[in-house]
Amino acid sequence: MHSTPGSTTDRVLGILDLFTEAAPLWTAEAMMERLGATRSTLYRHLRALTDAGFLAPAGGAFVLGPRIVALDRQIRVTDPLLRVAPAVMAGLRDAVAGTQLLCRFYGTRVLSIHEEKSDPRIRTSFDRGRTFPLFRGSASRSILANLPQAELRRLFLAHASEIAAAGLGGTWPEFRDGLKAIRLRGHAILSDIDPEVIGASAPIFAAPGLVTGSLVLARLKQEVTERDLDHLAAMVKETTARISAALQGLQA
Amino acid sequence: MHSTPGSTTDRVLGILDLFTEAAPLWTAEAMMERLGATRSTLYRHLRALTDAGFLAPAGGAFVLGPRIVALDRQIRVTDPLLRVAPAVMAGLRDAVAGTQLLCRFYGTRVLSIHEEKSDPRIRTSFDRGRTFPLFRGSASRSILANLPQAELRRLFLAHASEIAAAGLGGTWPEFRDGLKAIRLRGHAILSDIDPEVIGASAPIFAAPGLVTGSLVLARLKQEVTERDLDHLAAMVKETTARISAALQGLQA
DNA sequence: ATCGTTATTCCCGATATGCGGGAATTCTTG
DNA sequence: CAAGAATTCCCGCATATCGGGAATAACGAT
């Protein structure tokens, strides 16, 4: 074979990479061409994915399958963070007057896992399932600032240019000390992703010192004053403290 | 090798089967034992799944990963049915005074893909992602009744005993004619899954004659009269007709 | 229903790939 | 910084995957 690296399994799972928001529907023919796979091999792989429910035939083409939806439900039902946080967030609706985003950290990406929206004008489709880059956005910042040193160093070595581009410093001490300041402050305020929206975030801990996610309280930037931001910051710190406590109570 | 059938890919995907609502967290050790796999092989497979984001390490064990949540979002964002139905359903909230379930048909299973709940006492965690058996429940019944004959025959041959158990007839003509009656009536009323809840459903068509899902309007059984059921039936028929029309308008 | 067309599965020999035992490495944690 | 655990690497052998093409099944239209 030529330009297809990785094992068979990687190639099979790689098929799922084709299915994006922009291209949610693929015919076997199109996949063959795109992947440079032969007909029998591709169909064998499609069958494996279809049998497992990750793909489903839809009128001559394939779409992402029901298993994904079912597995997402399992995650929702079993995630301890989702057992405690949504209720707390619902109680904050009116006080925030914007949008709240609960995020979870997955080693390399930050994922929004729950949204509580009260300002319909914020049309950031910050849905559950949206991923954020680790070095941009308020949610990620609060997480990053609370990662263990060893992990930070690894990240710095692997992503120096991204880190510099995000204004997080060009040297390791700059990076580390900047994050330390955020950690000590206890919250991060950023308008980094959508320029019309500004968010205050704070970390959520699954155990003392072990950051597992963050909460963002966001509002339309042009409508908030300095005082509002201070208020949001205080609120998000207080709220994440409560969520962390509840989370750790669950596990005990 | 012994009792592990299927291809490598099947075995890798099979790992995900372990992760259930009751057992959402697996250590490598536990998986080795359960699957009868050797250490290196298991870890190779875990790595493939983890790299693809379908699993994630969580403190010495593994859980379902962020990719699943992200893919579910893609499905939500790109599903035409979800583009038209939720707004219609939201408009019915007060009129239904119960719970509405939007379901999609996936060849072999019926999956709830959206819920609009207005009666909090119905605690059926009929969440998005819940799967229903094809031969039970109102949602499935309306779909089944509108499947092409060829597919029905195939289903009957493959699942005769389930079909009989569900009271759908012990012979092919019984089965076919029973479903035909439902199809002509245009709706199905059943209290088949949760005995406290009764639901009226009607099919949704992606194209004339091509059933793609169904809508269920459900209420607490002990609170509904015959008249209420008639009303629900009329409402669900009218609503699914509108959803089908909107859906077919989209594609044109 | 019947046929032509397209989509999907099956077959089988050559060969690349996954398997497993164990050692090496990396990650945790005190 | 060291001991223990978790994870990856290594490599020869056996096996499952690949691909070309034919067979079959599903689909659509007459």
Side-chain angles (χ1 to χ4, degrees):
Chain A
M1 249 298 94
H2 38 184
S3 61
T4 28
S7 63
T8 300
T9 306
D10 290 341
R11 258 167 287 153
V12 173
L13 292 176
I15 292 177
L16 296 176
D17 294 342
L18 297 175
F19 293 78
T20 66
E21 217 172 304
L25 203 81
W26 284 81
T27 67
E29 212 64 38
M31 290 189 255
M32 277 178 56
E33 181 174 0
R34 180 69 150 66
L35 299 170
T38 109
R39 183 164 292 115
S40 30
T41 299
L42 178 65
Y43 270 111
R44 184 166 349 137
H45 293 169
L46 289 178
R47 196 168 204 311
L49 289 170
T50 306
D51 286 349
F54 290 101
L55 288 180
F62 291 84
V63 295
L64 293 176
R67 185 76 181 287
I68 291 164
V69 185
L71 287 177
D72 183 65
R73 174 168 189 267
Q74 274 194 30
I75 295 176
R76 259 181 289 135
V77 170
T78 59
D79 186 341
L81 191 45
L82 286 177
R83 209 171 309 157
V84 309
V88 179
M89 290 167 70
L92 252 58
R93 268 186 72 93
D94 298 333
V96 171
T99 231
Q100 304 172 57
L101 223 60
L102 179 66
C103 295
R104 190 177 248 296
F105 175 56
Y106 277 103
T108 144
R109 28 184 159 181
V110 171
L111 197 78
S112 146
I113 61 170
H114 184 71
E115 183 183 32
E116 179 78 49
K117 191 189 279 196
S118 51
D119 184 342
R121 294 168 305 167
I122 301 183
R123 67 178 183 344
T124 51
S125 64
F126 274 177
D127 263 323
R128 166 177 173 87
R130 172 132 182 211
T131 54
F132 294 98
L134 233 194
F135 303 113
R136 292 182 49 218
S138 186
S140 298
R141 198 59 49 91
S142 280
I143 290 167
L144 208 54
N146 288 277
L147 255 26
Q149 292 274 51
E151 198 161 352
L152 283 183
R153 183 166 328 202
R154 225 175 308 146
L155 287 170
F156 182 79
L157 292 175
H159 305 278
S161 61
E162 277 178 78
I163 287 169
L168 280 166
T171 69
W172 161 244
E174 263 175 53
F175 179 56
R176 180 195 56 193
D177 295 345
L179 290 178
K180 182 172 185 182
I182 295 170
R183 176 167 69 250
L184 293 178
R185 203 177 304 132
H187 70 267
I189 295 183
L190 242 70
S191 176
D192 206 3
I193 291 192
D194 182 336
E196 296 181 3
V197 173
I198 190 162
S201 69
I204 295 171
F205 296 95
L210 179 62
V211 62
T212 194
S214 64
L215 178 69
V216 190
L217 309 184
R219 294 188 55 185
L220 286 176
K221 190 175 181 178
Q222 61 186 34
E223 293 186 358
V224 296
T225 62
E226 276 296 320
R227 271 182 62 90
D228 289 332
L229 287 179
D230 289 347
H231 185 223
L232 279 183
M235 191 157 43
V236 77
K237 271 198 281 194
E238 200 266 331
T239 307
T240 51
R242 261 164 63 206
I243 293 174
S244 296
L247 196 56
Q248 293 170 42
L250 268 191
Q251 272 133 27
Chain B
M1 245 305 100
H2 40 181
S3 59
T4 28
S7 64
T8 300
T9 306
D10 290 342
R11 258 169 286 151
V12 173
L13 292 176
I15 291 177
L16 296 176
D17 294 343
L18 296 176
F19 292 79
T20 67
E21 218 173 301
L25 202 81
W26 285 81
T27 67
E29 213 63 37
M31 290 188 255
M32 277 179 55
E33 181 176 358
R34 181 68 150 65
L35 299 170
T38 157
R39 192 174 334 272
S40 27
T41 300
L42 178 64
Y43 270 112
R44 187 171 344 143
H45 293 169
L46 289 177
R47 194 170 206 311
L49 290 170
T50 305
D51 286 349
F54 289 102
L55 288 180
F62 291 83
V63 294
L64 293 175
R67 184 76 180 288
I68 290 164
V69 184
L71 287 176
D72 181 66
R73 175 168 189 266
Q74 274 192 29
I75 295 176
R76 259 181 287 137
V77 169
T78 58
D79 186 340
L81 191 45
L82 285 178
R83 210 172 308 157
V84 308
V88 179
M89 291 166 69
L92 251 60
R93 267 186 73 92
D94 298 333
V96 171
T99 233
Q100 303 173 56
L101 223 59
L102 179 67
C103 295
R104 190 176 248 297
F105 175 56
Y106 278 103
T108 144
R109 25 183 160 182
V110 172
L111 197 78
S112 147
I113 62 172
H114 183 72
E115 182 182 33
E116 179 80 49
K117 190 188 282 198
S118 52
D119 184 342
R121 293 168 306 166
I122 300 183
R123 66 173 183 349
T124 51
S125 63
F126 274 177
D127 263 324
R128 167 178 173 87
R130 172 132 182 212
T131 53
F132 294 98
L134 233 194
F135 304 112
R136 292 183 48 219
S138 186
S140 299
R141 196 60 48 90
S142 279
I143 291 167
L144 209 53
N146 287 276
L147 255 24
Q149 293 272 53
E151 198 161 353
L152 282 183
R153 182 166 330 202
R154 227 173 307 147
L155 286 170
F156 182 79
L157 292 175
H159 304 277
S161 60
E162 277 177 77
I163 287 169
L168 280 164
T171 69
W172 161 244
E174 265 174 51
F175 180 55
R176 182 197 54 194
D177 295 345
L179 290 178
K180 183 172 186 183
I182 296 171
R183 175 165 70 250
L184 295 177
R185 200 177 307 131
H187 70 266
I189 294 183
L190 242 71
S191 174
D192 207 2
I193 293 193
D194 181 337
E196 296 181 4
V197 173
I198 190 162
S201 69
I204 295 171
F205 296 95
L210 178 62
V211 61
T212 193
S214 65
L215 179 69
V216 190
L217 309 184
R219 293 189 55 184
L220 285 176
K221 191 175 181 178
Q222 60 186 36
E223 294 186 358
V224 295
T225 62
E226 275 299 318
R227 272 182 61 91
D228 290 332
L229 286 179
D230 290 345
H231 185 225
L232 279 182
M235 189 156 47
V236 76
K237 271 199 278 195
E238 201 265 331
T239 306
T240 51
R242 262 164 62 205
I243 292 174
S244 296
L247 196 57
Q248 293 171 42
L250 268 189
Q251 272 133 29

